[in-house]
Amino acid sequence: MKRIAGILILGVWLLSGCSYTFAHEDGYRMAVINEGFPVPNNAYELKPEDCTTEIAKSAKYKMNGIGDEEGTPPAEYLDEIEKWGWTEMLEARVGNVHYFKKNGKVMSLIIQRDVFDVFEMSDEVKL
C-alpha cells in the first residue's frame, strides 16, 4: 500500500512540473497540420474542430497565457510566425482571427484565452 501511495505522489509531483504556459524562450515547433507554420513548443494539442469547405485542416492547442481576454496573441508569437516566412493579411483580420499567407497557402490563427486554433484554409478560399 505504501508503494502505491508513493507512486501516486511521485506521479502528481511529476505532472505538476509540466507547464503548458506561453514562454517565447521555450521555442517553437511545426504545427501538426502544416510543417511550415510555427506553434509554441509547450502547446498541448486538443481535439481539433471539424473541417468545412473553407477549412482543409485544423488543429487546436491549449496553452496558458497564449491570449488575453480579447484574443490578442503575444507579439513574440506573431514575430515568430513572420520569421518562418508568413505574412499577415491585415486587411483580412476579423477580431481575434488572424490570416497569414506563404507560397499560396493561407493559414488562420484564432487566439482565445489559454486556447488557440490553427486552420489551413482550402484553396477555394480567396481572402
Side-chain angles (χ1 to χ4, degrees):
M1 189 65 170
K2 288 182 182 180
R3 182 176 232 170
I4 292 173
I7 291 172
L8 287 174
I9 291 171
L10 179 63
V12 169
W13 178 75
L14 287 173
L15 288 175
S16 66
C18 296
S19 174
Y20 298 113
T21 302
F22 179 79
H24 177 67
E25 304 80 37
D26 290 336
Y28 297 87
R29 61 185 163 96
M30 298 177 287
V32 295
I33 62 168
N34 185 303
E35 294 180 356
F37 196 84
V39 296
N41 267 335
N42 291 338
Y44 176 76
E45 189 177 353
L46 301 171
K47 184 176 184 258
E49 304 294 323
D50 291 331
C51 293
T52 64
T53 56
E54 293 89 22
I55 299 170
K57 300 176 189 173
S58 72
K60 185 178 207 76
Y61 298 92
K62 176 165 180 42
M63 172 168 257
N64 295 333
I66 191 68
D68 60 17
E69 292 177 12
E70 288 82 37
T72 307
E76 300 91 350
Y77 184 30
L78 295 176
D79 292 343
E80 189 68 25
I81 292 169
E82 286 188 18
K83 284 180 190 174
W84 284 45
W86 294 88
T87 303
E88 185 167 5
M89 303 165 63
L90 295 173
E91 69 284 356
R93 185 188 303 172
V94 179
N96 64 342
V97 182
H98 299 258
Y99 292 94
F100 300 89
K101 190 170 193 170
K102 176 181 171 182
N103 299 332
K105 284 284 181 200
V106 175
M107 299 292 290
S108 173
L109 174 66
I110 301 175
I111 300 281
Q112 299 170 337
R113 184 180 199 125
D114 300 334
V115 175
F116 66 102
D117 294 277
V118 178
F119 300 103
E120 184 175 301
M121 307 308 288
S122 66
D123 293 335
E124 293 99 37
V125 172
K126 303 296 179 209
L127 298 173

